[in-house]
Amino acid sequence: MEKYIDAAVEQFRALITEQLARQNRMEKENYKKDFAACDKIVIGVCGGDGIGPFITGQAQRVLEFLLKDEIESGRVEMRVIDGLTIENRLACGKAIPDNVLSKLKECDVILKGPTTTPKGGTMESANVAMRRELDLYANVRPVSVPELGIDWVFYRENTEGEYVLGSRGVEIPEKLAMDFKVTTDAGTKRIARAAFEYAKNNGKTSVAIVTKANIMKKTDGKFSKLCHEVAQDYPEIAADDWYIDIMTANLINENNRSKFQVFVLPNLYGDIITDEAAQIQGGVGTAGSANIGDRYAMFEAIHGSAPRMVERGDGAYANPSSMLKAAEMLLRHIAMPDRAERLAAAMRICTETEKKITVTGRSTGASCAEFADYVMDTLTKLR
Ligand code: IPM
Ligand code: MG
């Protein structure tokens, strides 16, 4: 037993040292990319696993359609990056193969299909690795259901909390297992700032700070306290404290859910509650997700790779709406709000008002390519 304890103590020391170094690096960071001032923007495209290549390929087509002029003039380059597949990851034993990572770092923004994460073992999720490697600290997930008065934006902390050491816990076989949750000052302040800045710039009047600080006293306690500190710089915006359990209930409470506007929350709670929120909007297939850092950004679906759909032979019938929402956020991020608005308008027509065809996830419905054609037809008519 002693040898396990000694090894765990050694590991814990190394983890603290490493995480402290990360916090200190973040504290010094002061670069922020300005896309409006960029001569050239490289959009990397990674298909991912399962239904990923199907839905990502269609979102890429729609982006190429919307950015035709910029691609022709060379201001925008779409660059397909192969190799971010579960087969490659398992073969090289890395969450992101080295050659893929270096190609990703040569892009400005990335459109990424869902990737498969093996359960258990030590192989880290490609998503989690990418968020860390590119320091994509703000996971922004909008959910809107206009007819129910729902217009929510979640700011999920994306690089620490329960995830940062999630593959590096401690285990004493057949006795116990421990994972670590890490909350840093710099990591919390930057996500809080992102949420309050969004609220301020978009006419929102409140931000809900969602934790379980009554139980996770150190980590969530810090998160809540620092969010309130940042809130002091935004006196016009109310900062409300909530616990995650009651907030999950509130999202399905028809009497008061429409009062919520912006949420800021630690990583794991953000992961869980945004699936719930997406379900209220019509399912995880309808929701996009932006992973934003100061240098890079990555846009994806909020759902997984649905391997069962592909095994069933229905990959080509997967719903690309989530990736199209991701593409809309990508356009906004690279300072092309006019294009983003057009795509959003076309999506509203295709999925809400006109609905000429519907993707059902089965061959009885439209294929994802047919749906993308429909979106592009609609875009042409909007012109
Ligand atoms: C998400 C996903 C990921 C997460 C998985 C695939 C690692 O559920 O983006 O919400 O847990 O963050
Ligand atoms: Mg999730």
Side-chain angles (χ1 to χ4, degrees), residues 115 117 125 127-128 131 139 141 156 163 271 275 300 302:
T115 44
T117 307
S125 136
N127 275 45
V128 175
R131 291 166 184 168
N139 187 195
R141 299 183 157 180
R156 163 191 177 191
Y163 279 64
D271 174 47
D275 270 17
E300 60 179 348
I302 86 161

Side-chain angles (χ1 to χ4, degrees), residues 55-71:
I55 58 177
T56 310
Q58 296 310 321
Q60 180 188 347
R61 278 181 68 217
V62 173
L63 272 180
E64 283 166 354
F65 180 84
L66 277 162
L67 295 171
K68 189 166 172 291
D69 294 346
E70 287 79 5
I71 292 173

